[in-house]
Amino acid sequence: ELLSGDGVFVTELDGAALIAVVEGLGHGREAHAAAKAATRFVRKEPSLDLSDLMRRVDARLQGTVGAAVSLCTVDLASGAIRYVAVGNTVLRIEGDRSRRIGAMAGTVGSRLKVPRVETASLASDEVLLIHTDGISERLTLEDYPQLRYQSPETVVGKILSRYGKTHDDATVLAARFEDS
């Protein structure tokens, strides 16, 4: 496709990083429009209340093809994570062990059930990954044990080249928490 159906938005808000990863359903213009509408909405009306924010994104996407949406906050002082996701997106924490938090079933823009907020924590030697289904479910950093110590850009590049699907839009966001 000439237009990506995925979108990402990251900002700092009240001592936390707010992250949105969006995958518009399908491909092409309609998927791109849905992803753009969702990320634009989060940019204009950011909130750390992820359940409420997801409900408002759902209302905004009514009448579009809909999207899979991940919303995440990382407290910049403690590394505490709050995460809510609907559709085929995944949050992973890669460190000494790998932890995966999936999304609840459904489509944002199609009258969601009450979104469930998950919690976790990120240590300074771990990498946070959030990705769409354009990244293979076979993703594991066990084959690349030193990768988690590399820059987020290097992590993303390796994951996209090794696990990105050639027939789908692919987004992966990598972040590292550095305690002070």
Side-chain angles (χ1 to χ4, degrees):
E1 297 291 342
L2 298 175
L3 296 171
S4 175
D6 288 1
V8 175
F9 174 70
V10 180
T11 194
E12 186 177 333
L13 182 65
D14 297 330
L18 171 63
I19 302 165
V21 174
V22 180
E23 176 184 27
L25 296 189
H27 300 280
R29 285 190 196 288
E30 290 182 337
H32 176 76
K36 190 170 184 176
T39 55
R40 184 181 297 137
F41 181 85
V42 174
R43 176 179 283 117
K44 287 182 179 179
E45 298 192 33
S47 173
L48 297 179
D49 182 342
L50 298 182
S51 186
D52 178 64
L53 183 56
M54 184 67 82
R55 284 191 292 273
R56 291 186 298 123
V57 172
D58 178 62
R60 170 60 188 91
L61 292 186
Q62 298 293 316
T64 70
V65 294
V69 177
S70 289
L71 299 173
C72 178
T73 61
V74 180
D75 184 279
L76 299 176
S78 68
I81 294 172
R82 299 184 69 246
Y83 178 70
V84 62
V86 176
N88 49 5
T89 60
V90 174
L91 178 142
R92 296 174 186 269
I93 299 172
E94 297 289 342
D96 289 335
R97 63 186 177 95
S98 194
R99 293 173 281 165
R100 180 182 189 271
I101 303 173
M104 58 186 272
T107 301
V108 179
S110 185
R111 300 189 208 323
L112 285 181
K113 298 177 189 173
V114 176
R116 181 182 67 251
V117 177
E118 304 281 347
T119 60
S121 62
L122 187 64
S124 60
D125 62 341
E126 296 176 318
V127 176
L128 170 70
L129 301 173
I130 303 175
H131 63 84
T132 62
D133 72 343
I135 301 297
S136 171
E137 286 295 313
R138 295 177 294 155
L139 168 63
T140 176
L141 294 189
E142 291 172 5
D143 296 336
Y144 308 99
Q146 295 302 312
L147 189 61
R148 75 177 211 214
Y149 301 108
Q150 304 297 315
S151 71
E153 295 85 2
T154 301
V155 172
V156 166
K158 184 66 144 182
I159 290 171
L160 282 171
S161 68
R162 173 70 177 93
Y163 296 102
K165 297 176 183 175
T166 59
H167 60 279
D168 200 356
D169 297 328
T171 294
V172 61
L173 178 136
R176 185 179 318 285
F177 168 69
E178 295 184 13
D179 53 5
S180 40

